[in-house]
Amino acid sequence: MRSNTNDVYGLQTNGRQVSFSIHSLHTRIVVFFAALLVLVQGLAFFVVDRANTQIAKETIAQELGVGERIFLRLLNQQRSQLEQTAGLL
């Protein structure tokens, strides 16, 4: 008959493979830190995504403003050229 031996976690092995139960301190610590890691990464993703979206909206608004000013300037230049050409005729 084999004698009961304690493994590193203090569980009785009886010469067979030990499965971890949810009541094991080691398992609880691993599950807690894994859940904490997932929570922190999810929160970081949410914050970074919101910041990127806000920056993208601000950049798009600025670029549209620049594009509008350039378009109006070119439109005025074309109108001036057409007026000058019409005046020559």
Side-chain angles (χ1 to χ4, degrees):
M1 178 176 212
R2 290 187 171 151
S3 64
N4 290 344
T5 57
N6 289 335
D7 68 356
V8 207
Y9 304 108
L11 299 174
Q12 298 292 324
T13 59
N14 288 335
R16 57 193 158 115
Q17 186 176 6
V18 176
S19 64
F20 292 105
S21 69
I22 193 67
H23 300 293
S24 164
L25 178 62
H26 177 266
T27 305
R28 282 193 233 167
I29 290 172
V30 168
V31 168
F32 171 75
F33 279 107
L36 185 63
L37 179 64
V38 168
L39 178 68
V40 168
Q41 285 183 338
L43 184 62
F45 172 77
F46 178 74
V47 169
V48 168
D49 184 55
R50 295 281 291 203
N52 284 344
T53 301
Q54 183 64 31
I55 290 170
K57 287 179 181 180
E58 291 172 2
T59 303
I60 289 169
Q62 289 174 354
E63 293 296 323
L64 282 173
V66 169
E68 180 186 19
R69 288 192 301 275
I70 291 171
F71 177 76
L72 291 176
R73 186 181 317 141
L74 289 173
L75 191 62
N76 286 334
Q77 285 177 353
Q78 265 191 331
R79 187 180 62 225
S80 296
Q81 286 177 349
L82 285 174
E83 287 173 352
Q84 288 175 358
T85 304
L88 291 175
L89 293 177

